[in-house]
């Protein structure tokens, strides 16, 4: 088991390159199942969840090749298995996204019920109801979703709740369905848009991309393309938050600023100087006292739930009272207990986290409870007095590429230790 050892107090400086988006890469990798010919992907982050996805595709019979530039070629032209086993699915909820492509192209899919971070209920009922509306027969037996359909048929589907994976799964099922499918109340996240653009480049017919109403005209086949995945907006926001809490000035590069509008607005409200230059964001918080901000997480283009934990650390260190309301997941304040070990003053009232403001934290031994909680503990450790040990960092490796190396290059005193 590995952990991070962080000595607080160092100022950050310099430039950090943002990796490709994990949340865009995973559905796009699953989308390779739809292609009759090989797909080559670039800007794929080297992460545990990506490795798990590649293992899953290989288990199904896909051929994977990775060149010296980390371009990944996926050939799913001769899949021989249509079962996503529990051993792979249990650690990564995004595995459910193989269901739509398998069902659309091969008429069957057997997918173990998914796992991932324990941040609250994320039911798959919207996926199941959507595929049933498209003509699939679905049974849930012994922890597996068994789905069959000779060929999916277009349907008019209204999703009761905005769901990213639900939108992505049904979208991938619809591209090879017979007829026209309407996905209403669809998620609008940049990662959904990236998937839709990827599918259109393969030959899919999709209109309404970037809106909450996607219209998909089914085609008979899709073919492979070369595709570059978008940058990770949450990774970018995390490094910007690190500059904010440490009173530093840094630049994040290889980023799409338009994907971060709601987040950047809150950084400005918190008193940070934010400047945008093409695909770079400069943030300067030197000599500035952080102001508390009120945040409510919302589906895109609202404030992302994946930035809630980072802003909670910012609010805890701000001069005054702030409040963060979590509306997406009901169990996403598990990191508060760990922050309290470091002396944070946070009060939880249902789905609301209130902070009163303080100057610093104290180093401690803390445990990462989920992916974004891991990030907020690192931010807290960067400003804490003394040393902090962040344990259970396998969560971090699911979503942040080379995080200790990137922070070290920015001037942080951080190292990975084997226990």
């Amino acid at each position: 088991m590995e952990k991070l050892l962080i000595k607080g107090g160092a100022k950050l400086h310099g430039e950090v390159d943002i990796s490709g988006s994990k949340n865009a890469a995973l559905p796009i990798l699953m989308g390779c199942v739809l292609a009759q010919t090989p797909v080559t992907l670039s800007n794929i982050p080297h992460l545990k969840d990506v490795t798990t996805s590649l293992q899953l595709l290989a288990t199904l019979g896909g051929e994977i090749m990775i060149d010296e530039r980390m371009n990944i070629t996926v050939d799913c032209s001769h899949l021989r298995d249509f079962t996503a086993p529990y051993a792979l699915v249990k650690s990564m909820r995004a595995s459910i996204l193989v269901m739509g492509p398998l069902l659309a192209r091969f008429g069957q899919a057997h997918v173990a019920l998914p796992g991932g971070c324990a941040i609250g209920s994320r039911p798959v009922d919207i996926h199941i109801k959507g595929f049933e509306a498209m003509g699939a027969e679905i049974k849930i037996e012994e922890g597996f979703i068994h789905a069959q359909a000779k060929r999916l048929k277009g349907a008019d589907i209204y999703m009761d709740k905005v769901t990213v994976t639900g939108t992505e799964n049904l979208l991938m099922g619809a591209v090879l369905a017979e007829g026209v499918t309407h996905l209403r109340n669809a998620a609008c996240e940049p990662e959904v848009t990236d998937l839709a653009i990827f599918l259109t480049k393969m030959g899919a017919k999709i209109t309404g991309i970037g809106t909450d109403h996607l219209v998909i005209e089914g085609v008979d086949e899709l073919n492979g393309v070369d595709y570059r995945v978008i940058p990770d907006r949450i990774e970018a926001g995390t490094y910007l938050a690190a500059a904010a809490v440490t009173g530093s000035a840094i630049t994040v590069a290889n980023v799409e600023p338009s994907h971060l509008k709601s987040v950047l607005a809150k950084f400005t409200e918190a008193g940070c100087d934010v400047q945008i230059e093409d695909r770079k964001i400069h943030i300067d918080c030197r000599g500035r006292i952080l102001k508390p901000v009120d945040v409510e997480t919302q589906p895109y283009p609202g404030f992302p739930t994946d930035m809630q934990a980072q802003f909670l650390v910012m609010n805890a260190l701000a001069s005054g009272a702030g409040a963060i309301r979590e509306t997406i997941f009901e169990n996403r304040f598990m990191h508060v207990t760990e922050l309290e070990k470091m002396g944070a003053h946070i009060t939880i009232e249902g789905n609301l986290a209130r902070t009163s403001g303080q100057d610093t934290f104290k180093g401690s031994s803390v445990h990462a409870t989920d992916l974004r909680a891991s990030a907020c503990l690192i931010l807290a450790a960067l400003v804490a007095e003394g040393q902090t040990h962040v344990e259970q960092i396998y969560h971090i490796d699911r979503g942040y590429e080379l995080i200790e190396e990137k922070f070290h290059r920015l001037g942080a005193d951080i190292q990975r230790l084997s226990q």
Side-chain angles (χ1 to χ4, degrees):
M1 196 69 89
E2 295 180 320
K3 65 180 180 180
L4 293 177
L5 172 61
I6 303 167
K7 296 179 182 178
K11 295 293 185 181
L12 305 182
H13 55 83
E15 182 172 295
V16 59
D17 281 326
I18 299 305
S19 301
S21 168
K22 176 190 84 114
N23 289 339
L26 300 185
I28 286 173
L29 281 168
M30 298 305 166
C32 294
V33 169
L34 293 162
Q36 301 277 359
T37 54
V39 174
T40 298
L41 303 173
S42 59
N43 203 35
I44 299 290
H46 184 56
L47 300 170
K48 176 63 176 174
D49 279 7
V50 169
T51 301
T52 300
S53 297
L54 293 174
Q55 289 175 333
L56 175 55
L57 292 173
T59 298
L60 297 175
E63 297 181 2
I64 313 295
M65 293 179 289
I66 304 176
D67 67 18
E68 67 280 359
R69 299 175 61 187
M70 288 304 295
N71 295 317
I72 299 176
T73 298
V74 181
D75 185 354
C76 291
S77 57
H78 301 291
L79 293 197
R80 59 181 179 272
D81 197 340
F82 312 114
T83 299
Y86 178 72
L88 292 174
V89 174
K90 66 179 180 180
S91 65
M92 188 185 70
R93 179 178 172 76
S95 301
I96 189 79
L97 290 171
V98 78
M99 183 177 172
L102 285 176
L103 192 54
R105 186 170 166 211
F106 299 101
Q108 60 178 308
H110 313 284
V111 182
L113 291 169
C117 290
I119 56 176
S121 175
R122 299 195 283 186
V124 297
D125 61 311
I126 292 176
H127 304 241
I128 293 171
K129 290 178 181 177
F131 286 125
E132 286 179 333
M134 297 168 73
E137 295 181 4
I138 297 178
K139 296 180 181 179
I140 300 178
E141 297 176 339
E142 299 180 346
F144 272 81
I145 303 170
H146 301 279
Q148 287 187 315
K150 186 173 182 180
R151 184 179 181 184
L152 293 174
K153 298 185 181 298
D156 197 325
I157 300 170
Y158 177 85
M159 290 173 280
D160 293 333
K161 182 179 180 180
V162 177
T163 161
V164 172
T165 55
T167 300
E168 292 168 341
N169 220 353
L170 296 175
L171 172 62
M172 289 190 284
V175 292
L176 293 181
E178 180 182 350
V180 177
T181 299
H182 293 261
L183 295 182
R184 304 180 190 273
N185 199 30
C188 304
E189 272 72 3
E191 296 79 16
V192 176
T193 295
D194 204 33
L195 173 64
I197 293 171
F198 166 69
L199 295 171
T200 59
K201 288 184 178 295
M202 290 204 300
K205 296 181 179 180
I206 306 168
T207 57
I209 295 175
T211 75
D212 64 357
H213 181 194
L214 296 172
V215 182
I216 307 101
E217 182 181 345
V219 298
D220 291 332
E221 67 175 44
L222 299 179
N223 288 291
V225 292
D226 291 352
Y227 194 76
R228 182 176 177 83
V229 172
I230 59 172
D232 195 312
R233 61 192 172 107
I234 304 303
E235 185 194 18
T238 300
Y239 285 105
L240 293 171
V245 298
T246 58
S248 304
I250 69 168
T251 297
V252 295
N254 183 37
V255 67
E256 179 47 67
S258 65
H259 295 167
L260 284 157
K261 286 182 179 179
S262 63
V263 175
L264 296 180
K266 288 298 178 182
F267 277 117
T268 300
E269 187 180 331
C272 305
D273 179 28
V274 177
Q275 302 294 329
I276 296 172
E277 176 193 353
D278 297 326
R279 291 175 61 81
K280 293 184 178 183
I281 301 173
H282 309 280
I283 186 168
D284 190 346
C285 307
R286 293 172 296 184
R288 294 169 180 261
I289 297 175
L290 283 178
K291 301 174 185 177
V293 295
D294 290 339
V295 169
E296 181 172 306
T297 62
Q298 294 288 344
Y300 190 86
F303 190 92
T305 182
D306 282 351
M307 283 299 300
Q308 173 255 105
Q310 298 90 315
F311 266 76
L312 185 58
V313 174
M314 287 175 56
N315 265 3
L317 295 167
S319 61
I324 294 182
R325 187 178 299 277
E326 173 60 58
T327 70
I328 307 298
F329 297 119
E330 73 276 10
N331 195 25
R332 210 168 197 182
F333 285 136
M334 293 188 295
H335 45 280
V336 170
T337 301
E338 301 303 307
L339 290 173
E340 288 175 338
K341 292 179 183 178
M342 303 177 71
H345 304 149
I346 304 171
T347 302
I348 301 297
E349 302 170 3
N351 67 341
L352 187 69
R354 296 188 182 276
T355 52
S356 55
Q358 62 195 93
D359 294 329
T360 188
F361 300 129
K362 294 187 181 298
S364 182
S365 179
V366 293
H367 293 77
T369 54
D370 63 68
L371 172 54
R372 303 309 170 185
S374 307
C376 88
L377 295 177
I378 292 174
L379 299 190
L382 290 174
V383 298
E385 297 174 355
Q387 296 184 348
T388 298
H389 295 262
V390 182
E391 304 190 38
Q392 296 180 187
I393 60 171
Y394 57 86
H395 289 294
I396 297 174
D397 294 333
R398 289 186 50 236
Y400 289 92
E401 184 177 39
L402 303 173
I403 192 166
E404 74 275 11
E405 292 184 27
K406 290 185 178 183
F407 269 120
H408 181 73
R409 291 186 201 130
L410 290 173
D413 190 338
I414 180 173
Q415 57 182 312
R416 182 178 292 244
L417 304 176
S418 296
Q419 295 177 291

